[in-house]
Amino acid sequence: MGRKFACFLLCLAAVLTLAACSVPGERTSSEEYILGDELAITMDGGFKASDTPGADVYLFKGDECALYAVRDTKQSLEDLGYDTSVLDLSAYFDLVTKANGITAEEQTSEEAPVASCRRVSGDAEYWYCVTVRECGDAFWSVYLISPAGDGEPMPSFLSDYAASLRVL
């Protein structure tokens, strides 16, 4: 009986060790990714680039997370009827959030604008975290997307990624 119990404990320890090594959502080492030639973002390693309609940059890491970035030049915004002489980052952020039906959180003047929401797409539900940056003659809107679990809050890594976005 003692040998069987010891063997059971050894097997249980091995199973728990293997299970701990394969926990979904486990963070990996950080890597800097360049978006276009104007922005950089720090995210976990392992993201891959892909072409996606409507995106200037699309990065994804399996079904864990995706980054979808759109660059709007001031000329393209003027062509759409916006007065870019008065369009600042805050006004652009308002355009992006209103166009996507997102309510932005209160911001302090030092923070880059950010908003998040939970949406259903097809049969799945996702968290969306959006932020914007101004780069010379263009504005970027960057969407970070991750699956949403039942009743779970937005994963903190999405806001961490958004906060790491910087203009080059």
Side-chain angles (χ1 to χ4, degrees):
M1 176 78 167
R3 284 187 96 181
K4 287 183 181 180
F5 186 72
C7 185
F8 169 75
L9 287 178
L10 184 60
C11 289
L12 181 61
V15 167
L16 290 175
T17 301
L18 289 174
C21 292
S22 63
V23 173
E26 184 178 313
R27 313 282 19 118
T28 60
S29 62
S30 295
E31 192 172 316
E32 184 173 75
Y33 298 87
I34 305 299
L35 311 181
D37 58 359
E38 297 173 312
L39 298 176
I41 190 168
T42 303
M43 301 188 297
D44 289 345
F47 278 82
K48 307 250 185 273
S50 180
D51 289 331
T52 297
D56 289 290
V57 176
Y58 181 74
L59 303 173
F60 69 97
K61 186 174 182 182
D63 59 359
E64 178 184 332
C65 184
L67 177 145
Y68 182 94
V70 177
R71 183 178 187 269
D72 288 316
T73 65
K74 290 183 179 177
Q75 182 59 55
S76 68
L77 292 167
E78 284 177 5
D79 293 346
L80 292 171
Y82 296 103
D83 181 358
T84 58
S85 67
V86 296
L87 189 66
D88 63 3
L89 190 63
S90 178
Y92 178 73
F93 183 67
D94 288 343
L95 290 174
V96 169
T97 54
K98 285 178 185 167
N100 290 287
I102 299 171
T103 303
E105 295 106 29
E106 289 295 320
Q107 303 288 308
T108 66
S109 60
E110 303 90 46
E111 295 176 331
V114 65
S116 60
C117 70
R118 192 176 175 128
R119 294 252 171 86
V120 174
S121 178
D123 293 337
E125 196 168 4
Y126 296 92
W127 279 108
Y128 291 82
C129 182
V130 62
T131 189
V132 296
R133 298 295 187 277
E134 184 174 7
C135 304
D137 71 338
F139 291 99
W140 282 84
S141 52
V142 178
Y143 303 82
L144 296 153
I145 306 156
S146 181
D150 289 337
E152 292 180 11
M154 183 178 78
S156 62
F157 66 84
L158 290 181
S159 55
D160 293 343
Y161 291 169
S164 78
L165 188 65
R166 64 184 177 83
V167 177
L168 296 176

